[in-house]
Amino acid sequence: MKSVGILHVNVVGALKLLKMDILGTSDPYVKLSLTADKLPAKKTTIKKKNLNPEWNEKFKFVVKAPQSQVLKVQVFDWDKISPLSAFYIGLRMFLSLIMQVGEHDRLGMQLVPLKLLTQSETKEFTLDLLKDTNISNPQDQKKRGQTVVELTYEPFRQDSCNFDVPVEGYGRKENGIDRSSDDGNLSGSRLLSVMVHGAEDVEGEHHTNPYAFILFRGERKKTK
């Protein structure tokens, strides 16, 4: 299916989250995924000991079907087993728990259909967190708090094959004059697709576990 636009997601924060720790707090983070998207889910940073965290962290998703795709927003409580804790709970219990690492407690979730969005218009959603997608679940009576996200859907420009827009301040030069852009106020989005195939003859003393960085207009991506 052809990609038709970009979904910009700003995870603003959350309010009155569940208390999961013994001390009456939680270590929340948000996990985002888009239906029909085979890429790994995107995650915010972890806010330690905070029931009303603020993130203001931005993410992008490539959209293929804006009328049918749904953004899944999940809030988790990060859980880490320290070596000291492992010593006290015993090796056997530790081995049992270590198998569950990554299975952090989900504080709540919510779904946002992209069809609710208007093209090129930012919309803020304050989402009441649910236990699961079964909204009629009688066990889902506990207040789980809210999360706030800002969503913007930008369709791709029709002339997205035009690469005259400068990157990182490098513009074209015409008649001895530096031009940064033909149109300083561009509408719509463009998609740059980059495939990192590999590397050869990498120099240096320490490169047994190599990875690559890709920088584009201040955005930084890292390979495995």
Side-chain angles (χ1 to χ4, degrees):
M1 187 180 295
K2 183 179 178 180
S3 301
V4 297
I6 294 287
L7 174 66
H8 300 268
V9 181
N10 178 26
V11 181
V12 179
L15 304 168
K16 299 179 180 179
L17 296 176
L18 289 179
K19 302 175 182 178
M20 301 299 290
D21 298 342
I22 298 177
L23 300 178
T25 185
S26 292
D27 303 321
Y29 68 91
V30 177
K31 186 175 180 180
L32 303 168
S33 58
L34 192 63
T35 56
D37 186 356
K38 297 181 180 179
L39 296 175
K42 302 178 187 295
K43 300 178 183 179
T44 67
T45 55
I46 300 166
K47 298 297 183 181
K48 299 289 188 68
K49 297 179 173 54
N50 197 331
L51 299 179
N52 299 281
E54 295 182 4
W55 283 286
N56 284 306
E57 296 181 19
K58 297 178 174 59
F59 304 89
K60 296 178 183 178
F61 293 88
V62 176
V63 177
K64 296 183 178 180
Q67 292 302 311
S68 61
Q69 286 185 282
V70 175
L71 179 68
K72 187 175 183 180
V73 182
Q74 301 181 87
V75 183
F76 286 88
D77 174 43
W78 180 78
D79 188 20
K80 180 180 179 181
I81 304 173
S82 66
L84 182 61
S85 298
F87 175 79
Y88 285 111
I89 65 178
L91 180 60
R92 184 173 180 180
M93 185 177 294
F94 172 70
L95 291 175
S96 174
L97 290 173
I98 204 68
M99 296 297 293
Q100 302 177 12
V101 170
E103 298 179 2
H104 301 158
D105 294 326
R106 188 168 69 184
L107 300 176
M109 61 150 315
Q110 192 53 271
L111 304 175
V112 184
L114 301 193
K115 64 182 180 181
L116 298 178
L117 303 177
T118 302
Q119 291 186 7
S120 305
E121 181 179 312
T122 300
K123 188 172 183 179
E124 182 178 280
F125 293 85
T126 300
L127 306 173
D128 293 323
L129 296 173
L130 304 175
K131 182 178 180 180
D132 49 44
T133 55
N134 182 11
I135 59 176
S136 62
N137 189 345
Q139 297 180 356
D140 195 15
Q141 301 298 322
K142 182 186 297 185
K143 295 290 185 180
R144 295 178 173 272
Q146 299 174 315
T147 185
V148 181
V149 295
E150 293 177 345
L151 306 181
T152 309
Y153 170 62
E154 290 278 0
F156 289 145
R157 294 183 55 179
Q158 295 299 318
D159 60 339
S160 58
C161 292
N162 181 357
F163 294 100
D164 288 339
V165 180
V167 178
E168 299 288 355
Y170 294 95
R172 293 177 294 122
K173 207 169 202 179
E174 296 179 359
N175 300 324
I177 302 175
D178 284 323
R179 297 175 60 101
S180 60
S181 174
D182 290 334
D183 184 358
N185 187 19
L186 298 176
S187 61
S189 294
R190 301 185 180 200
L191 175 65
L192 173 65
S193 179
V194 179
M195 173 67 73
V196 181
H197 290 280
E200 296 180 357
D201 301 325
V202 180
E203 296 183 359
E205 298 179 357
H206 306 288
H207 54 267
T208 55
N209 298 295
Y211 57 88
F213 278 116
I214 299 175
L215 303 177
F216 180 73
R217 291 186 176 178
E219 187 171 352
R220 181 171 174 172
K221 296 294 183 182
K222 178 182 175 182
T223 66
K224 295 181 180 179

